[in-house]
Structure formats: structure tokens, C-alpha cells
Amino acid sequence: MPVATETRKKQTTENDAIVVRGARVHNLKNIDVDIPHEALTVVTGVSGSGKSSLAFDTIYAEGQRRYVESLSAYARQFLERMEKPDVDSIDGIAPGIAIRQKNTTRNPRSTVATTTEIYDHLRLLFARAGTSFCVKCGSQIRKDTVDDVASAVLALPAGTKLYLLFPLETIKPATTTETSPKKRTSLRAQKLAAAEQLAAHTETLKARLFDLRKRGYTRLFQAGKIFEFSTPESLLEIDFSQPVFVLVDRLAISTEVRARLVDGVEIAYRESGEIILHLLAAESEAARDLRFSQMFECKNCRTKVAEPEPRLFSFNNPFGACPRCQGFGNTIDFDMGLVIPDHRKSLNDGAIEPWTKPKYRVYFNELKKIAAEADVPLNVAWEDLTAVQREIVMEGYGKFPGVNGFFTYLERKKYKLHVRVFLSRYRGYALCGECKGQRLRAEARAVKLAGLNICEVTAMTVEQSALFFNSLTLTPEQAAIADRLLDEVRDRLRFLNDVGLEYLTLDRLSSTLSGGEAQRIQLATALASRLVGALYVLDEPSIGLHPRDTERLVRKLTELRDLGNTVLVVEHDTEVMRAADHILDLGPGAGELGGKVIASGNLKEILRSPDSLTARYLNGRSHILQPIERQTPGIQKLKIKGARLHNLKRIDVDIPLGMLVAVTGVSGSGKSTLVHEVLYKALAAELGVQSEGMTASTEVAYRGLDKIEGVKYLTDVQLVDQSPIGRTPRSNPVTYLKIFDGIRELLAETPQAQRSRFTAGHFSFNVPGGRCETCQGDGTVTVEMQFLADVELICEECKGTRFKAEVLEVRYKNRNVFEILQLTVREAVQFFTGHPRIVNKLRLLDEVGLGYLRLGQSATTLSGGEAQRLKLAAHLDPRTEYSAPRSGEAAKKKIDHTLYIFDEPTTGLHLDDVNKLLASFRRLLQSGASVLVIEHHLDVIRCADWVIDLGPEGGIRGGELVVAGTPEAIANCKESHTGQWLSRILK
């Protein structure tokens, strides 16, 4: 009985929860956890405590592995290969779907609409319910049905006489071109070939007429006359080089003629696809023709186009893609942004950069000659010229060739090396001149729904397109086709709007989205799929979200749960934790000090836990420490004038220096555009800072603003983002901070190393010498296993130590180089006591919350937040420590005139880690530096000296400066969404 009872309890547990026993992945300490089914579970804890190891590397990995293992060996070779996680057992697991915060999409064809499958529905909608227009004359294109023809004819006055005709193929007269006497031989050959072609065409026409006569057609019609063709002689009067028609029937309009009319129309459509109704002359009207066609062509100019089908609207298909840019929307051409880099300059000031060169100055002189006649002012800024004036400069006027003519001339001189080099300076990705960046061919852009083509619809924001489709009115025929499609489109747009992405345009490239935006798009797609019984694992979905939008996110997570799914979220946001059904708190510390379950249960149970660091912040026992004294703005400040890039609306922003300044606002309000694209690029260009993928040209950097003042107060600008510090396994924290140089020198100074004549280079695994050449310093060798997961084996030569045996014999304090790299940062601080050059830098890592990292930990295993804090540590001065300044006491500073820019530095940080981050910021400020952060975390905003709030909304309704001032001033601004939330915690 006890055995049966135990078995029954185990089965009940598996049915109610995902049961994990003995998880040991990474730093997890053989833990046991139960995650309830059909519930929202939050995994929290300090950074490095093992949250991702449990959620992604254990639970999700096992769910994916089991699904993949159920497939055939052939299918498995095309799927992601996953190893079995180090765990005793996982029961009750469902198929897993991971929604990560990283944006891994790099495909230039992928957009928001294609990712969410909205575009697939739009393609079908426009193909089935769209109205086509002629690309040449703009007339509507439609097929004429038999009923359309009958209705049009029967609407004519009774007694009207008409002929039912369909066209007969005519003989096109052969033409020859007169040439010089030297080419008379070829002219004779042309005439001979034309004669042979005419004879062949005539024979074909005779065979066609013979076939028509056998099927009962005996009359032809031309120029108002009817001709019998029962005998060859009867055809002599017909000019077959002119339009000839076959007579199907002769009718007089009456109520009884409909059946006969329909038969005649069907016959004509069957023979040629079109019918011509020749209305005989009446007393008051001349003879005229009515033309109807079953073919998809323009009735006005006879232009034939392909009938709309879904592939016509796909820029990934050659059938629908613009032929010039192949569906990319841009081409490698002359970039006018490089030709005219500074729109603030006038033509006299050298707005057209290539014409400032002495060799091509003559073109500018030609422009000056025609300027007065063409009404083109030379002393007006390029951006203030009218469209007509700009077109004259670009396209030319009279003998003046214009900018485009200038480059056309140089293209003919490309055989000269110096010309090719000159032209390459002005080439770049430019908007496609044929489709204007819309990616589709003209025939696709000519199909419209409610007056808009598919490109114009996808150019709308999610919010605008939702309004468009909600107010769309269709004919009964269109509605019968499109109702289900519209429901799908509206649902997906609603989901995108609900997760706070209403400001994104549907044609926005997926590669330009932030990690948080990409994750919320995946969440919206998951909601639209309506899966039931699945396991969703999300990685901090609140990243990049304003507190206003977090409420909407929580509603979507609970909606996903209510569908019947298990939702597992790695999260630090207190609002998400308060909405969770179950919370797992891991810790107590990070790295080796973490990996244990500190508390598990609902919110009330977590708050009662005495050991939970998370509980202490949730119940108010611990809180983010605000600085004793807030800095006030001085005379040193950066002044941005006329910022206008993307959705910024020519705003003027002042950024005080020597302070912690926070840039806030709802998602899509323009924060990243202002800080990254406008401020950083302008400062980097002015200060000569080189950055990957960015030009140092001041003129190009100034495209997004009028001017910037106060650069003289800075000597450097540093962008500290969350990009990886390295992409190879050999990159690690001590190599990034150059601590390893000092460690290698210590090892090289040992007596044993000197006896072996080892230099510091022998202790590096990045260069040949002392490293193991079998694995080239990686420590592992990867073996491909085709449809099975690749096997990563420990190198047999070095046994995973990375170095040669003779190098490993060299020891410092009884540890060799491999054993030293296995130390954590905290252990290394004690180990290298007495060597301040090494210890001071290691202590910086501990101060920014990375004391749990191992010295040789691969950079590829670091999260974005860990990489950002590692970069922060690299900028801190190891010779100074932060101490809160006392009132009336001047802090001794080593003046550092550097502006440090951080983009959401609290990403992935527990509330306790945020405290450490703020202490590091204050340390930078004490050295005389300035700190600018883009942030949504209310505690960081509360601790800022100055806040710049953008908005008031996202997208086109954002891009304005709502308010700037102290946190208290922001909280008192009713127009500010940030202020409304900030006022709650300030109170």
C-alpha cells in the first residue's frame, strides 16, 4: 500500500507540474524544483545565480531534445542539435518554445510584417480582393464577364443594330532600314528574310481561315464592310495588314435577344478572349465600337499585365520583386548623402562635395553660369532649396549636365584607375530609383485596396494599419473573399499593439529591432498561433519596456497562460513578479555562490522567506540607495540643436556634464535615435573617435541635427553597450581588461620559467609557443556527428588545459597558468595580494558585481549585461574608490573629461546588482567624467541628477522633448508618462 500511494503521488505531481530532479547544469547545485503547469512562473535571483541555466539550458533544452529525438534521423540533421542537459530526471515536460531577448535576425529581407506572418495574409488579400490599375495610363484593369457584356449591351436603346466580332490575326508589314552602301549586302538579306517571313505568315493565315470556315465562320469584317470568304477570290479585296475581324452574329437589341447575345459572347471569348461590338450608324450617331475582353488588360491602352496572385506581392520571389534591386529596396549606387553630405551648406559653400575638387571645379562654374536663368540661388542652404531647384542641379539645365550627368560622364571613363577610385568615394547603398524603396515591381504596386497599395499599407505603423483595416469597407463580393483574411490581420495587429509595439512600421527591417522588440514580436506571434499545452520560456520580456507598457505585457503573459500553456519567465521586474502565480528565487550569490533554490512558492510565501534577497527588496526591507547630495547643472553642457533624425521633430536638448543624466520615455519615443544616432555619432566625429561601421566624417554625422555646442568640454566619448566583448572561446575577462599581461609576466619571472627560457608569450593561448597546437589553445576539439549533436571532446594532448606540458610545470604560489585561470575573481584578489597592478583591476570586477566570474571564462558564455559591466569595469580608474561626497567637502578628482553612454545598463540585473551599478556610476562621476544612460528602471531614474523625457508617445507621435529637469520636476509633469510612474516611488 505505501508503494502504491507513493506512485500515485508521483503521477499526480507529474500531471500538475514539471518535476526537475538533480539539475547540475553550469553552477546549479543538484537542485530539485517543481514548476506548475498552466501557470505563470517567474525565475529570479541575482545576476549569475543560475536562472538561465535552469530555464533555458535545462528545462527548455530537454523539451527541445525530446521533440527532436522523436523525429527520424534524416529530419534531425536539418534541425538544431541539442545535447542532453546534466540532470537526473525531468518529468511532465511539454514541447518547449524559447522567446529570447536577443535579435539574431540578420536577413535584409526580413521585416516586422513577414516575421509576424501579417505579410503572408496581406499578399493573399491583395491578390484576391485588390483592384488593379494600368501602370501606364492609370485606368482600372478588370476582366469583362459574359454577364457584364450582356448587361452593357441590353442597356442600349431598343432596336440598336450591332455586329458581334472577334479579331483575326493580321499580317504585320515587314520593314527594312536604309543603311550605308557598305551594308547593301546585309540589306538585301534583310529584305529576303522579310519576304520569307511574310510568305510563312500568309500560309499560316490561310490555314487559320480554312479552319474557321470548317467550323461555320464564313464572314469577315473590315472598315465597315462584310466579306464572304467561301472562295479564295473573295479575299482579294481585304487588306490583311490592317485589323480584320470575324463576324460571329448580327443582332438588333430587344428583350428576347439575351440568350443569343450570351451565346455569341461566349463564342468570341472562346476563340480569341475578346469581343468587339460594332454598333451600326443611327440617325443621330455615327458607327462606333465597344470592346470587351476576358483577358487581364487595360481597355484604354491595351497593356497586358499578369493577373494578381500572392507571389506577385512577394519581394522574396523574382516574379514580384523589383527587377532593379531584386527586392532589397536599395542598390549600390551613388549615395546622395555622400555627394551632398551637409545639407546646411549652400552651393557657393561647396554643398556638392565632388565639385570642390580642383579638377572638377569647372562643373560648378557651369552651374553658376545658368543659375540666374534657372532661378537657382547659390547662397541658400541646400535643404532650403525648392524641389524644382534641386532637380535642376541634379538633372541639368540646357548645356549644364547636372550632378547625374557629371557621374554619367565619369562612368564612361572608368577604365582609368584614378576615376574608379574617385567614384568609389561616393558609392553606397542608395534608395532604388525604380521602386523608391518599396521593393516590388510596378505591376504589384498598381494593385490597390481602398486606394492604397500593399507597400503603402506596410509603411504604416502597427497602430495606423490597425485603424485602416478596422475601418475598411469592401463590396459584398470582396467581403466574401476577404473576411477571414482580415480577421487574421486584425488579430495579429492587435497582439502587436497589446505588447507595446504600436510605433513600429510593418516594413521595418527585423535586423534593426532591439532585443526586447524582437522578443515581444515573437510573443505576439505566439499569441496569434493559439497553441495549447506548450511550454513558453521567456528571457526578461520587460527589457526595453516603459513601466506604462509593462502592465500590457503582464496581460499578454497571463493570456498566454489562460490558453492552457505553461509560461516560464526569467525576470527581475517587480511588477511581473507580483503578477506571477509561482516564483523561484535562486541564489544566494552568483557563480559558485549561487545555483541553489532560496525560496519557492507564491508571492506571499516568497515575502515570508528570511533568506531571500529578492524578498527583502519586494517587502521594503532593502532598497536602492539614493545619493546623499544631488548634483546641480553647471555651465558645462552639451547643446543639441535641431535633432531631426527618424521620428525626432527638430528638438533642442541640453545635456549637463559632470552629472548622471537619464534619457527616458516610452518605447519608440526616440531615445536611441537621439543618443546613438545623433549625439554619439556627432561627438565621435568631432573628437575623432573611430567606431566599427561608423564613418568619422563630421559632415555625414551631422545629417541628423543642425549643430552641437559644448564639445570643447569633452576629450573623449565612450559607448558602453551590451555587444559581446569577443566572439572566440579564447576571449575572456582577464584578456579584455589586460590583467592577463601582468599574470603572464609574474609566471615568466619565476625561476623555473627563466631556466626554461620562457617569456610571457609562452603563457598565452592566443599565439603559438606555449599553447597546445592540437587544439590551438581552445582546450577542446569538436567532432561533427551529422544528424546527432556535435560532440565536443577534451583535447587528448593537453587534457583541456590549453598549454603544453612543459609550460604547465611552471608554478606561481603552487599554481600553474591553467589553475590560475580557473580561479574566480574573488579568489584571485586574495591569491595576488601584494601585486596592486593585478589586484586593483580584479577588485573593479568584484565592485561591478562580477566577482563570481572565472578568470578564464569564455566571452561567448557571458550575457549582454555581464559584457556591459565588464566594459564598465574597463573604464573605471583602479586607483580610486567611490565614497559619497560630504556636504561642503570638495572631492579630490583626477579630472576625466569623458562622456560615458550606457544603453539600459540595468538589463539582466537584480535589484541588489543595480545598487552596485549606481555606485560604479558615482565613481565615474567623482573622476570628473559624465554619465548618460538610456533607462526605464524607475530606481535608476530616481537616483539621476537630471532627466530628459522624450515622447509623449512612440513612433510618429513621439520624438518631442516632453520635459527636462530633476526627477522631482519630471514627477510633477502631468504630460509625462515617466513622471506619472516616478511620482509613485518618490512618494
Side-chain angles (χ1 to χ4, degrees), residues 742-764 770 804-813 815-817 820:
I743 295 174
R744 290 189 293 113
E745 288 172 5
L746 280 179
L747 288 165
E749 290 171 359
T750 60
Q752 192 170 359
Q754 292 180 350
R755 284 196 301 269
S756 302
R757 295 184 179 181
F758 287 158
T759 64
H762 284 83
F763 299 95
S764 172
K804 294 178 180 177
E806 54 268 30
V807 173
L808 294 174
E809 292 176 359
V810 178
R811 291 181 172 270
Y812 174 79
K813 290 187 178 180
R815 288 182 184 268
N816 61 30
V817 62
I820 289 173

Side-chain angles (χ1 to χ4, degrees), residues 350-482:
I352 302 173
E353 204 275 339
W355 291 353
T356 60
K357 306 296 185 287
K359 185 173 182 179
Y360 301 112
R361 186 77 180 176
V362 62
Y363 287 92
F364 178 65
N365 294 333
E366 291 184 29
L367 172 60
K368 288 197 291 187
K369 291 177 183 178
I370 60 98
E373 181 184 349
D375 190 27
V376 177
L378 300 176
N379 294 317
V380 175
W382 175 262
E383 62 185 4
D384 295 328
L385 294 179
T386 65
V388 174
Q389 291 167 342
R390 291 187 193 182
E391 185 176 1
I392 291 172
V393 177
M394 299 303 296
E395 302 298 334
Y397 183 88
K399 294 184 178 181
F400 169 63
V403 174
N404 290 335
F406 163 70
F407 282 116
T408 302
Y409 166 75
L410 289 183
E411 283 286 324
R412 296 198 294 267
K413 302 290 184 181
K414 282 196 302 185
Y415 58 86
K416 298 180 180 180
L417 177 61
H418 72 276
V419 173
R420 292 200 299 274
V421 172
F422 179 80
L423 290 176
S424 67
R425 298 176 187 171
Y426 304 102
R427 289 193 188 278
Y429 284 104
L431 203 64
C432 175
E434 187 166 328
C435 67
K436 307 302 180 187
Q438 293 185 325
R439 296 182 163 207
L440 296 177
R441 63 171 64 246
E443 291 84 350
R445 303 197 305 271
V447 180
K448 298 186 178 182
L449 189 68
L452 298 178
N453 63 34
I454 193 171
C455 303
E456 292 167 332
V457 171
T458 54
M460 296 179 179
T461 63
V462 168
E463 185 179 24
Q464 290 171 329
S465 54
L467 291 173
F468 171 77
F469 284 111
N470 288 334
S471 60
L472 186 64
T473 55
L474 302 175
T475 64
E477 294 80 7
Q478 288 176 318
I481 299 170

Side-chain angles (χ1 to χ4, degrees), residues 41 109 175 212 235 322 334 352 410 425 442 458 477 553 565 581 598 688 704 775 805 822 836 871 880 920 930 943 961:
T41 301
R109 295 182 181 275
T175 58
L212 287 171
L235 302 177
C322 169
F334 293 107
I352 302 173
L410 289 183
R425 298 176 187 171
T458 54
E477 294 80 7
L553 172 68
N565 298 297
D581 304 308
I598 302 302
C775 62
Q822 292 302 107
K871 294 176 185 177
T880 62
S920 299
S930 305
C943 294
L961 178 61

Side-chain angles (χ1 to χ4, degrees), residues 520-665:
R520 278 175 276 148
I521 281 180
Q522 293 179 63
L523 177 59
T525 306
L527 286 166
S529 67
R530 296 287 179 180
L531 284 179
V532 176
L535 167 66
Y536 285 93
V537 187
L538 289 85
D539 189 7
E540 294 195 67
S542 66
I543 286 176
L545 271 186
H546 192 275
R548 182 199 69 170
D549 299 320
T550 304
E551 288 182 314
R552 292 195 286 179
L553 172 68
V554 169
R555 286 200 296 270
K556 291 295 106 181
L557 293 176
T558 55
E559 185 178 331
L560 198 61
R561 174 202 64 192
D562 295 341
L563 284 173
N565 298 297
T566 303
V567 183
L568 183 61
V569 182
V570 176
E571 188 56 86
H572 294 292
D573 189 274
T574 56
E575 296 300 319
V576 179
M577 283 190 271
R578 294 182 190 280
D581 304 308
H582 190 77
I583 299 175
L584 281 173
D585 188 21
L586 302 185
E592 293 298 315
L593 301 178
K596 297 179 181 179
V597 179
I598 302 302
S600 176
N602 58 34
L603 182 63
K604 291 182 179 179
E605 293 169 335
I606 295 294
L607 292 177
R608 290 197 297 266
S609 173
D611 301 324
S612 172
L613 187 61
T614 303
R616 288 207 292 271
Y617 280 92
L618 287 175
N619 59 28
R621 282 182 287 166
S622 297
H623 56 274
I624 303 294
L625 295 176
Q626 194 169 359
I628 298 172
E629 187 176 316
R630 180 169 285 147
Q631 300 292 316
T632 56
I635 59 171
Q636 294 188 1
K637 60 181 64 176
L638 295 173
K639 296 184 178 181
I640 301 173
K641 302 291 185 182
R644 58 182 180 275
L645 198 63
H646 299 158
N647 67 331
L648 296 179
K649 297 181 173 59
R650 278 191 174 275
I651 60 174
D652 298 338
V653 180
D654 289 353
I655 301 174
L657 297 178
M659 303 169 62
L660 174 57
V661 180
V663 180
T664 65

Side-chain angles (χ1 to χ4, degrees), residues 895-929:
I895 302 301
D896 177 14
H897 298 291
T898 302
L899 174 64
Y900 294 97
I901 298 174
F902 295 85
D903 190 355
E904 296 197 54
T906 57
T907 297
L909 294 191
H910 188 270
L911 292 169
D912 194 56
D913 296 315
V914 174
N915 255 334
K916 298 176 182 177
L917 178 75
L918 289 171
S920 299
F921 285 166
R922 292 296 172 188
R923 184 170 177 170
L924 283 175
L925 295 173
Q926 274 197 324
S927 69

